[in-house]
Amino acid sequence: MTSSAINMSRIPELLAPAGDILSLKAAVENGADAVYLGIKKLSARAYASNFSPDELEKVIDYAHLRGVKVYITVNTLIKDVEFADAAQILQKIAAYGADAVIVQDIGLISFLREFLPELPIHASTQMTVHNSEGVRLLEDLGVKRIVLARELSLESIRYIREHTQAELEVFIHGALCICYSGQCLFSSMIGGRSGNRGYCAQPCRKQYVVKKNGKEVKLQGNYLLSPKDLNTSEILPFLIESGVSSLKIEGRMKRPEYVAGVVAIYRKLLDRYAANPAGYFVSEEESRILRQLFNRGFTHAYLLGNPRNELMDHYVPSNRGILLGNVNSSSRGRHVSLKLFSPLNVGDGISFSCEGVGETVRKMFFRGKPITSADKDMVIDLVLSNPLSRGSQVYRTSDILLLNNLEKSFTSQTPIRKIPVNLKFIAIKGKNLELKIEDNDNNMVTIVSQYVVEPSRKNPTTEKDIEKQLSKLGNTVFYPVLLEVSSDPDIFIPLKELNNIRNCAVEEMEKLRTQKWKKPFLNFVFSFSPHIKQKAEKPLLCVNVNSIDNLIFAVDEGADIIYYGDENYHSHNKMTLKEVYDTVSRKGGRIYLTTPSIVWDNEMNELQSFIQLALEIGFHGLLVSNLGIIRLVQQIGCNFIVDYPLNIFNHRAVSYFHRLGAEAVSLSPELTLEQISFLGNYGNVECMVHGDLRLMVTQNCIVGSLMGGKNAECSRPCVRTVFSIMDEKGFEFPLRMDENCRTHIFNSRELCLLDDISAFVQAGVPRLRIDARYMSLQKVKAVIGAYKKRLDECIYMQPNSDIACRDISGKYTKGHYFRGVL
């Protein structure tokens, strides 16, 4: 940590959540430099209150008047039927002067660059940007800022900063997703509520048990996917010095008091660092408030390296609060006696033994007498709704005095956050009054009153009178730091005229501070681009494999295209690549190398060498599923197919990737068959029809953190062992750990559309994919053979064979093709 003075311009922006109007005021009044807020139906926090388009202009003006930037979250995947409404809303966002939009959908980014090029774009963390090549691709597309994946270390963030130009934003406090954001299908597959579209059902906060080789493993705590909350207050200097532009607080679904408290503390910490980097500290009281406002336990996540078992809290998926005391031996039923570890007040919220359930303190007693507050170390009695056993722990989950104090910061009629202004007043006999007002952003307003200054006949207006009246900025957002009065002696100015000119100047300054951000309303009518592709006559059957044996069966049964490999590319060498290429080539098929969905910068060079080796052998191209690899492919200049983890959801996204040179685009599995048929008009599209669908990819190794020991190095219990997690309804989700110890969670039911292949053929879907990587050899033969036969039956108008999904899959699902998602 440097000890030299830090220029305030090097202190990153403090970015706060605003789920509703009170949270917006809480963030602004407590020191946020910028806020991010959602529009109804277009936000990745659909369950937050959010704002209607009609409310938007007032909200933006409120923030801009106070010198705070506003970023609008349009960070959801856009269906084609929603594009016209989205375009209208985005026109308003631009016209009202929003400082940027936060976007997840690559198709929407493409649209914005074409139709609203002046509106700055921030790439959402939902885009899973985790390497410098991914940042560069978005830079090339005109994106101003990238919100990096929360799985990155400080070292990785610094590397990206040193090798890219775009602004970088990182999260510093609040809830964490266990899955890489933008890579989660869990919520939609178990309940039809898409986390990628803002309707996450939070399956990560539910209970699961681990099964090892089919048998349940006894563990302490069953919330196996529930991470602690992020808290970077102790390591904030390292984030500041990493060169990021913005520090983001999570919490658009939190109460405004939470926003007020967290923002106020991080504002203090940033200012403290700016004043004296070497003397940076976090006080005990500041730490206590952060814990009290909300915590599931705290973690630095991956910023300091792999946290292993320190990342998760397997016991409580909700607010833990602060330990208040233990129920002692003198307790009886609902009458609980405990010695307090911290103060307690009537109105505080409490919970018990970290069970996540509790109540509000209504009555408490000290030595038999009712009291409303109690100090630390006092032994008190509580009367609860339900009995507690002796030894139970009691936690305070909300502090009524703290909440009331924080509430005052955003409900007071007098603004706390004020803008300094300089005033210059001129009063010359026989001339009109004049008042100039200038703020700290170099905005200047000059007001010339109709009142002509008169000589005093009796009681002259003194400079002190003038200063007193002009300084009364009371409930406005301005306060005077300099008031210069230039006036003749012995003049008379009615108080009404002083008040009028002051009020006019303030009103004009308010208009200037808000109007300067607004832009002309670009009223264009949205329309779909012309269709660019004819329907294919015969669908191609594409198959994922990751072994030579599976590959042989796949090509023998008639696969047209092979995707070879998976996340574990180190297990393949030149000899195996040559063998698989020769095998496919002899059958006249095409083979593409599958590349990992997550590739950090320190893994990129080795992967690039592996890619070049495959291409030299003769592979036709690559199957790619992250933006960084796409940019790498562009530099290499080879064929590529875009995979579904890139969330291709609409015609603009399909067109964008085809313009980049993609041979085909594998669509999001959250689309319906009707939507897929429409998208086929805009390029060569592909969809998965059979196999294990990945629901999550996590940087944290679930098995290793639970059973890999507590040392820095994991004992790798996953090797040669089959693991799964089972939910409370008995559904079992397979776990597969890759060579980088990331966990991939797969759906409990195999996807099978064999019974509906005729619908896909009639819809004109040109490419159908089977993922056979995790099948036995006999199943590979049976599945691919069945699909090939069914396709031929559809194409050549033959009677359907009797084989059906129940014959090749057992337990299966049809996914979203006929039901869709929220």
Side-chain angles (χ1 to χ4, degrees):
M1 203 182 299
T2 177
S3 60
S4 60
I6 293 290
N7 189 304
M8 281 301 291
S9 64
R10 286 182 54 194
I11 299 298
E13 162 192 276
L14 181 58
L15 176 56
D20 56 27
I21 189 62
L22 285 180
S23 293
L24 171 71
K25 291 179 178 179
V28 169
E29 293 289 19
N30 284 280
D33 299 307
V35 294
Y36 63 103
L37 52 93
I39 296 293
K40 295 182 189 297
K41 296 184 180 180
L42 289 178
S43 167
R45 285 290 181 268
Y47 298 122
S49 295
N50 293 318
F51 297 87
S52 71
D54 294 334
E55 295 172 314
L56 195 57
E57 186 171 18
K58 290 181 180 179
V59 167
I60 293 173
D61 287 350
Y62 172 88
H64 280 166
L65 177 59
R66 291 155 178 81
V68 175
K69 293 181 178 180
V70 181
Y71 308 137
I72 310 299
T73 59
V74 191
N75 56 340
T76 182
L77 297 177
I78 306 295
K79 297 178 181 179
D80 282 299
V81 295
E82 299 167 338
F83 238 101
D85 288 342
Q88 274 194 332
I89 291 172
L90 286 162
Q91 290 174 68
K92 291 182 179 181
I93 289 171
Y96 295 157
D99 296 276
V101 285
I102 305 172
V103 180
Q104 171 191 5
D105 193 315
I106 195 79
L108 194 60
I109 293 177
S110 170
F111 171 83
L112 287 167
R113 290 300 88 212
E114 182 176 352
F115 292 99
L116 290 169
E118 300 303 314
L119 181 59
I121 298 173
H122 295 176
S124 169
T125 192
Q126 291 283 122
M127 294 194 80
T128 327
V129 181
H130 58 279
N131 53 49
S132 56
E133 292 292 352
V135 173
R136 289 194 193 99
L137 183 139
L138 292 172
E139 286 178 346
D140 295 342
L141 193 51
V143 175
K144 180 181 180 182
R145 177 185 295 180
I146 284 79
V147 187
L148 294 174
R150 281 174 273 203
E151 286 77 7
L152 293 178
S153 66
L154 280 165
E155 181 182 359
S156 298
I157 293 169
R158 284 192 289 265
Y159 182 90
I160 293 173
R161 173 68 292 149
E162 291 166 3
H163 292 83
T164 59
Q165 300 301 315
E167 295 179 4
L168 303 178
E169 181 175 301
V170 296
F171 282 89
I172 59 169
H173 199 92
L176 290 168
C177 292
I178 184 60
C179 179
Y180 272 87
S181 294
Q183 300 301 302
C184 184
L185 298 175
F186 212 144
S187 177
S188 71
M189 284 298 166
I190 65 172
R193 294 158 59 182
S194 172
N196 293 321
R197 286 179 42 81
Y199 294 97
C200 181
Q202 293 197 308
C204 55
R205 304 298 181 187
K206 299 183 183 299
Q207 295 190 71
Y208 302 88
V209 296
V210 172
K211 297 188 79 172
K212 177 181 178 181
N213 294 329
K215 296 182 179 180
E216 184 176 331
V217 179
K218 297 297 182 183
L219 298 168
Q220 291 185 334
N222 289 328
Y223 293 98
L224 306 182
L225 303 181
S226 181
K228 298 175 183 176
D229 286 350
L230 180 64
N231 179 351
T232 66
S233 58
E234 295 288 348
I235 62 170
L236 195 60
F238 301 115
L239 280 165
I240 296 170
E241 291 161 11
S242 72
V244 298
S245 299
S246 183
L247 303 172
K248 187 172 194 172
I249 296 167
E250 182 277 336
R252 276 193 289 145
M253 294 180 65
K254 296 287 202 315
R255 60 194 298 174
E257 292 88 351
Y258 171 89
V259 175
V262 175
V263 170
I265 286 176
Y266 276 94
R267 178 76 273 157
K268 287 180 187 175
L269 297 179
L270 288 171
D271 293 346
R272 184 176 297 155
Y273 176 87
N276 181 13
Y280 179 85
F281 68 94
V282 182
S283 72
E284 185 177 333
E285 177 65 5
E286 289 162 345
S287 293
R288 183 195 71 81
I289 291 174
L290 290 176
R291 291 197 311 275
Q292 185 63 80
L293 287 170
F294 194 96
N295 81 88
R296 297 181 178 94
F298 282 138
T299 175
H300 296 142
Y302 302 92
L303 289 166
L304 299 182
N306 187 349
R308 297 205 56 221
N309 52 359
E310 295 300 319
L311 178 70
M312 313 295 286
D313 183 346
H314 297 143
Y315 298 95
V316 183
S318 56
N319 185 19
R320 295 184 62 153
I322 293 177
L323 183 61
L324 188 64
N326 297 321
V327 176
N328 67 27
S329 58
S330 62
S331 299
R332 303 181 314 281
R334 293 170 54 237
H335 294 261
V336 170
S337 175
L338 70 160
K339 182 178 181 180
L340 297 178
F341 299 157
S342 61
L344 183 66
N345 295 279
V346 169
D348 286 352
I350 55 175
S351 67
F352 317 114
S353 295
C354 274
E355 293 174 0
V357 293
E359 58 186 84
T360 300
V361 175
R362 302 297 182 191
K363 294 180 180 179
M364 58 182 180
F365 301 86
F366 178 64
R367 295 176 180 173
K369 295 182 179 180
I371 56 174
T372 58
S373 62
D375 294 328
K376 178 182 177 182
D377 295 328
M378 287 177 63
V379 178
I380 64 164
D381 295 310
L382 298 176
V383 180
L384 303 178
S385 300
N386 296 292
L388 285 181
S389 59
R390 294 170 184 174
S392 296
Q393 293 178 315
V394 180
Y395 291 78
R396 184 177 62 199
T397 53
S398 66
D399 181 335
I400 189 65
L401 297 183
L402 173 63
L403 295 178
N404 288 343
N405 186 53
L406 290 170
E407 184 183 28
K408 293 175 185 176
S409 70
F410 56 86
T411 57
S412 171
Q413 293 300 310
T414 302
I416 297 172
R417 184 172 188 151
K418 296 217 170 191
I419 307 299
V421 292
N422 296 330
L423 297 98
K424 184 175 182 179
F425 181 77
I426 301 174
I428 306 298
K429 291 176 185 176
K431 294 189 176 182
N432 300 81
L433 284 180
E434 184 176 317
L435 177 61
K436 294 181 179 179
I437 181 170
E438 183 178 10
D439 66 14
N440 57 346
D441 294 317
N442 298 318
N443 297 307
M444 180 179 287
V445 169
T446 301
I447 301 295
V448 178
S449 170
Q450 292 183 348
Y451 177 76
V452 177
V453 179
E454 301 174 358
S456 171
R457 295 185 183 137
K458 192 173 183 181
N459 296 318
T461 302
T462 65
E463 284 193 15
K464 187 174 286 187
D465 295 330
I466 294 170
E467 290 174 356
K468 179 180 177 182
Q469 214 62 27
L470 295 182
S471 297
K472 290 181 177 180
L473 299 180
N475 290 337
T476 74
V477 299
F478 305 110
Y479 73 93
V481 292
L482 178 65
L483 176 54
E484 181 181 341
V485 176
S486 178
S487 65
D488 285 344
D490 299 321
I491 58 173
F492 175 74
I493 308 171
L495 291 181
K496 180 181 73 172
E497 296 298 337
L498 290 173
N499 290 338
N500 283 343
I501 198 169
R502 179 200 65 213
N503 293 341
C504 286
V506 166
E507 186 177 333
E508 289 303 310
M509 178 57 78
E510 288 178 344
K511 288 180 182 178
L512 182 58
R513 287 182 63 86
T514 56
Q515 295 295 322
K516 65 186 264 188
W517 301 102
K518 299 184 189 296
K519 299 177 178 68
F521 187 83
L522 299 175
N523 190 14
F524 57 83
V525 178
F526 172 80
S527 61
F528 288 102
S529 306
H531 295 176
I532 63 171
K533 182 180 177 297
Q534 297 296 319
K535 301 289 186 183
E537 293 183 4
K538 179 181 177 181
L540 297 176
L541 190 60
C542 311
V543 181
N544 289 91
V545 297
N546 59 0
S547 73
I548 184 65
D549 293 333
N550 279 10
L551 181 142
I552 291 170
F553 275 91
V555 295
D556 283 347
E557 292 299 323
D560 299 297
I561 293 174
I562 294 292
Y563 301 136
Y564 182 77
D566 52 22
E567 306 288 325
N568 302 320
Y569 62 89
H570 285 101
S571 61
H572 308 287
N573 55 36
K574 185 174 182 178
M575 185 178 298
T576 59
L577 291 180
K578 183 69 168 62
E579 184 178 1
V580 299
Y581 171 75
D582 290 342
T583 302
V584 176
S585 297
R586 282 194 295 269
K587 290 287 187 176
R590 284 181 285 166
I591 184 165
Y592 295 78
L593 182 69
T594 301
T595 57
S597 55
I598 304 297
V599 185
W600 282 19
D601 277 303
N602 60 7
E603 301 162 357
M604 193 70 80
N605 287 340
E606 191 172 3
L607 176 62
Q608 183 174 355
S609 298
F610 184 67
I611 289 171
Q612 289 172 331
L613 175 62
L615 294 174
E616 289 168 4
I617 287 171
F619 277 62
H620 291 82
L622 307 176
L623 179 66
V624 297
S625 54
N626 84 63
L627 294 177
I629 301 300
I630 288 182
R631 191 172 187 277
L632 186 65
V633 166
Q634 287 181 301
Q635 294 171 325
I636 294 172
C638 67
N639 297 329
F640 69 97
I641 296 165
V642 176
D643 207 356
Y644 70 81
L646 281 166
N647 293 323
I648 299 91
F649 219 75
N650 52 58
H651 74 288
R652 294 289 311 198
V654 172
S655 297
Y656 168 75
F657 283 117
H658 277 294
R659 287 197 304 273
L660 282 188
E663 177 185 324
V665 172
S666 187
L667 300 174
S668 166
E670 294 187 320
L671 291 168
T672 65
L673 181 55
E674 182 181 2
Q675 292 165 334
I676 290 167
S677 178
F678 174 76
L679 293 179
N681 294 313
Y682 292 90
N684 197 14
V685 300
E686 172 183 298
C687 57
M688 175 104 82
V689 293
H690 197 102
D692 291 342
L693 195 63
R694 190 181 71 184
L695 303 185
M696 279 187 177
V697 54
T698 78
Q699 188 65 27
N700 177 265
C701 179
I702 295 171
V703 171
S705 66
L706 289 168
M707 292 175 276
K710 295 187 177 181
N711 298 324
E713 292 296 324
C714 177
S715 63
R716 300 181 70 85
C718 60
V719 176
R720 292 181 294 279
T721 307
V722 177
F723 283 97
S724 63
I725 56 173
M726 186 172 67
D727 68 11
E728 295 166 298
K729 295 181 179 179
F731 290 98
E732 201 168 326
F733 303 89
L735 305 180
R736 296 185 176 100
M737 279 58 71
D738 65 30
E739 61 191 15
N740 290 300
C741 295
R742 298 179 182 114
T743 300
H744 303 257
I745 305 177
F746 289 82
N747 199 14
S748 60
R749 296 290 185 266
E750 185 176 58
L751 185 69
C752 182
L753 276 300
L754 179 65
D755 301 343
D756 302 282
I757 286 301
S758 60
F760 284 82
V761 173
Q762 291 169 12
V765 182
R767 299 164 68 111
L768 306 175
R769 192 203 296 190
I770 296 171
D771 193 336
R773 288 177 291 185
Y774 311 111
M775 296 179 187
S776 67
L777 295 180
Q778 289 306 312
K779 184 164 183 176
V780 172
K781 180 179 176 66
V783 168
I784 298 175
Y787 275 89
K788 190 66 175 178
K789 186 173 184 179
R790 184 60 56 83
L791 275 172
D792 288 343
E793 291 168 350
C794 293
I795 293 166
Y796 302 115
M797 308 296 290
Q798 299 171 352
N800 283 349
S801 57
D802 293 334
I803 192 167
C805 281
R806 63 178 178 273
D807 301 311
I808 59 173
S809 282
K811 296 178 180 178
Y812 65 92
T813 175
K814 293 187 180 184
H816 295 299
Y817 291 116
F818 301 102
R819 65 179 184 179
V821 295
L822 284 177

